[in-house]
Amino acid sequence: MDNLVIKQSIRVHVTKKSTSISCLRKKNNCCILSARALGLYGNEDGSVLRKNLTILRQLVCQKSTTFECVWTKQSNSPVVYEKGRIYFDNYRSCFCSTGPKPTVLYELPKLHKSQKIEDALLCESPLGEMLPKPSDHVPSLIALTANNWLIRTSIKTAEILEKIYLSSQWKFRYLTWDDTQETIVAKTTQNKVTAVARAAGIQHSVLLHLAMFRVLPLTFVGMLAIDKNIFGNNVTDATVSHGLLIVMYSMGLVKLYSFQRIVEKFTQKQCILGQKCEWNNTTGIVGTSPFGIPCNIKITDCPPVLFEVSCLKSALQIGGHPWHYIVTPNERKQEGIYHIYSLKDKKLAENGIQEMQCCSLDTDWIYFHPDDSGRIMHIGPTQINVLQLSEKSEGLQRWQVLRAFTIYSARERAVESSVRVTAYGRVVKRRFSQLDDDNYETYSHQLLFDRDTIIHIQLLPPRTFCCHVYKMDQHMAEDGD
């Protein structure tokens, strides 16, 4: 960006008044950079980021800007991208994508099947906060291995910074954020009764276990069991997100509980990693093998339900400003139709039923934009509807869904024909319309945009993952053009 100021032959005024008036109004990149260096953006949250995004937007939208493929790599296992790093082979090898071309950061030796990484999260240290150990300030990858170890490794060298053994009794496989960069949740596989045990009359009331940890420093909060005797026999799954215990039931019912209230009421004993603990007549060190971590949250009665709703496939989304939720009515014929309700009173927002007329193998999908602006993204195979939650009339607390704008993709609506020959030799031609998404079969695609880089991850048949990296290129016009 500094070189950009030198190359552009534009006079930049150094006085605060003239710079803020003449330069920022024009939004020239050179002026924006100079104003940023002079500290003219103020101290409000996100001001510098917004100006940086303005610079990036102007660069990307210039007619001379193109993105050229600079690197391609295939893999037999899923490819993961996280903030300038591309992971292959279950996080065994890592490439840095911030340079002109991706370069190898590290490549670990092949691990035994029991040591492979099942799931992982990127963890970054907070700014302006002192942590107990110097290693806590190192950006790291928190990974869950197949043999039930929770490990924290450096994202630059893959050096193991911390290790926690979870359990020799239950199989942990999933790792998710409860509160991003604050607390994580490790989840076990579901405890399914085998045919032999079922024939012998053995029943397991516990469906799964959830263990929560705070990060940086990594500390154990507690572990609880989702017991059918407490939550009901028809419970099918559960997770923790944003301080809520979310329990899903058969027939699409979803119930929300306060996880903090559960921890405060039902925690039987505080257990600290690395310290001696006695549990179930066994003494061991918390977080070491084979003792692991105890299930120290014992729910004895069902906690109060904060919110419940019935929806298709238990698909519930909460977000927006003010709080709203999106569901599909719990009927198979309603698939692809989304209802937007106020979380406060469960009233349907005006124009809150959104349906996109499309013919595709996969249904369209909808979600709240993560910037807390109240926008809703409704994405189909050939168009993207950007919706906005707004107050219908001031003071009445009634809300409406308006379409801000729509992005269309150019597709040729060709009508194809198939030729079939019958057993008697007669030729039969049948005409049919092309699907919105693709001819007969659809494969997974991920498109990630990070500053001057586009990462395209695609799934090729039969099961090959391919990662393409594109870099932004400025084609400067030659003299006389």
Side-chain angles (χ1 to χ4, degrees):
M1 288 297 183
D2 294 336
N3 293 334
L4 186 65
V5 180
I6 298 173
K7 290 179 181 179
Q8 299 275 356
S9 58
I10 297 178
R11 185 184 300 252
V12 178
H13 302 284
V14 295
T15 62
K16 289 188 177 182
K17 184 176 180 180
S18 60
T19 303
S20 60
I21 295 176
S22 62
C23 290
L24 297 183
R25 185 181 296 167
K26 297 178 182 178
K27 293 188 177 180
N28 179 277
N29 284 340
C30 294
C31 296
I32 294 175
L33 287 169
S34 300
R36 185 180 68 178
L38 292 172
L40 301 181
Y41 295 152
N43 297 322
E44 62 271 16
D45 292 341
S47 60
V48 175
L49 176 60
R50 284 193 295 271
K51 294 302 179 183
N52 290 344
L53 292 177
T54 300
I55 297 172
L56 179 61
R57 181 182 62 190
Q58 294 193 79
L59 290 174
V60 171
C61 294
Q62 285 180 358
K63 292 183 179 180
S64 59
T65 300
T66 61
F67 283 85
E68 296 184 357
C69 185
V70 298
W71 189 79
T72 296
K73 182 176 173 61
Q74 291 188 350
S75 172
N76 293 326
S77 58
V79 181
V80 178
Y81 176 80
E82 285 281 358
K83 294 189 177 180
R85 292 172 177 83
I86 310 173
Y87 295 95
F88 292 87
D89 302 326
N90 292 101
Y91 298 90
R92 191 175 64 85
S93 60
C94 177
F95 290 77
C96 178
S97 65
T98 56
K101 289 185 179 181
T103 55
V104 178
L105 267 180
Y106 61 82
E107 189 165 0
L108 301 176
K110 289 189 176 181
L111 302 174
H112 189 269
K113 186 178 180 180
S114 64
Q115 296 176 297
K116 77 169 186 174
I117 294 177
E118 297 277 15
D119 208 351
L121 297 171
L122 182 66
C123 182
E124 296 179 321
S125 60
L127 297 175
E129 183 177 338
M130 293 301 297
L131 298 173
K133 302 189 296 293
S135 63
D136 291 338
H137 291 275
V138 177
S140 57
L141 192 73
I142 300 180
L144 182 62
T145 65
N147 53 358
N148 274 356
W149 282 92
L150 188 69
I151 59 175
R152 190 170 72 90
T153 62
S154 168
I155 61 173
K156 294 183 179 180
T157 63
E159 175 191 359
I160 296 179
L161 305 175
E162 289 182 270
K163 292 180 65 176
I164 300 172
Y165 186 68
L166 298 179
S167 175
S168 57
Q169 186 177 358
W170 304 293
K171 168 62 178 173
F172 283 85
R173 179 168 290 177
Y174 312 102
L175 203 60
T176 58
W177 287 110
D178 166 42
D179 191 4
T180 304
Q181 303 298 330
E182 294 288 341
T183 50
I184 59 174
V185 179
K187 177 179 173 180
T188 66
T189 57
Q190 293 193 8
N191 187 15
K192 296 183 178 180
V193 182
T194 63
V196 176
R198 191 181 298 109
I202 300 175
Q203 296 292 333
H204 297 291
S205 63
V206 174
L207 179 68
L208 53 87
H209 286 79
L210 298 168
M212 177 176 284
F213 298 84
R214 293 190 186 93
V215 296
L216 302 175
L218 199 57
T219 54
F220 175 55
V221 176
M223 180 163 67
L224 60 86
I226 301 300
D227 196 326
K228 294 181 180 180
N229 292 334
I230 301 296
F231 293 97
N233 288 326
N234 56 348
V235 59
T236 58
D237 202 359
T239 188
V240 176
S241 179
H242 293 82
L244 297 172
L245 174 63
I246 305 171
V247 182
M248 286 146 276
Y249 296 82
S250 59
M251 304 304 292
L253 184 64
V254 179
K255 293 184 179 181
L256 306 184
Y257 304 88
S258 169
F259 187 79
Q260 182 62 34
R261 184 170 180 176
I262 291 173
V263 171
E264 293 173 353
K265 182 178 180 180
F266 298 109
T267 298
Q268 295 183 320
K269 187 176 185 179
Q270 294 291 339
C271 302
I272 301 175
L273 295 173
Q275 294 190 7
K276 185 180 292 186
C277 176
E278 183 178 350
W279 193 263
N280 291 338
N281 299 322
T282 304
T283 302
I285 305 298
V286 179
T288 62
S289 178
F291 188 78
I293 55 174
C295 186
N296 61 337
I297 302 175
K298 181 69 174 178
I299 302 178
T300 55
D301 56 90
C302 191
V305 179
L306 299 180
F307 179 81
E308 68 176 271
V309 66
S310 179
C311 48
L312 188 65
K313 298 180 180 179
S314 299
L316 167 67
Q317 297 186 68
I318 299 177
H321 180 77
W323 292 106
H324 279 68
Y325 66 94
I326 303 175
V327 293
T328 295
N330 197 9
E331 298 179 20
R332 182 65 59 182
K333 64 180 180 181
Q334 297 287 325
E335 189 168 10
I337 302 176
Y338 303 98
H339 291 208
I340 304 170
Y341 294 91
S342 169
L343 186 65
K344 181 179 180 180
D345 52 18
K346 292 188 176 183
K347 289 184 178 180
L348 182 69
E350 184 174 314
N351 196 33
I353 300 178
Q354 294 292 318
E355 181 180 8
M356 187 177 291
Q357 299 295 335
C358 59
C359 179
S360 62
L361 294 176
D362 294 326
T363 60
D364 50 301
W365 47 292
I366 194 170
Y367 64 92
F368 289 100
H369 199 285
D371 65 355
D372 293 331
S373 61
R375 288 180 294 178
I376 299 172
M377 310 298 291
H378 189 185
I379 301 174
T382 59
Q383 71 184 72
I384 299 175
N385 294 335
V386 180
L387 310 173
Q388 180 72 52
L389 274 171
S390 63
E391 194 170 7
K392 183 180 178 183
S393 55
E394 189 175 354
L396 295 180
Q397 297 293 312
R398 294 300 305 275
W399 301 90
Q400 59 185 344
V401 179
L402 302 177
R403 184 180 298 188
F405 58 89
T406 300
I407 302 173
Y408 295 97
S409 63
R411 294 288 303 275
E412 293 184 1
R413 302 295 302 164
V415 178
E416 302 181 3
S417 63
S418 64
V419 178
R420 183 171 62 90
V421 180
T422 66
Y424 298 99
R426 186 165 60 92
V427 177
V428 178
K429 292 184 179 181
R430 184 176 58 183
R431 293 167 61 85
F432 58 93
S433 298
Q434 178 183 352
L435 291 175
D436 287 333
D437 46 10
D438 203 355
N439 292 333
Y440 307 120
E441 197 160 2
T442 300
Y443 292 99
S444 172
H445 287 265
Q446 277 185 285
L447 200 63
L448 305 157
F449 182 54
D450 192 350
R451 291 172 292 186
D452 65 337
T453 307
I454 293 178
I455 296 92
H456 179 208
I457 301 172
Q458 63 178 148
L459 175 61
L460 301 175
R463 185 172 170 79
T464 301
F465 294 88
C466 192
C467 178
H468 308 277
V469 176
Y470 296 82
K471 288 290 182 176
M472 187 169 65
D473 189 19
Q474 294 287 119
H475 294 280
M476 303 305 293
E478 296 182 359
D479 292 341
D481 291 347

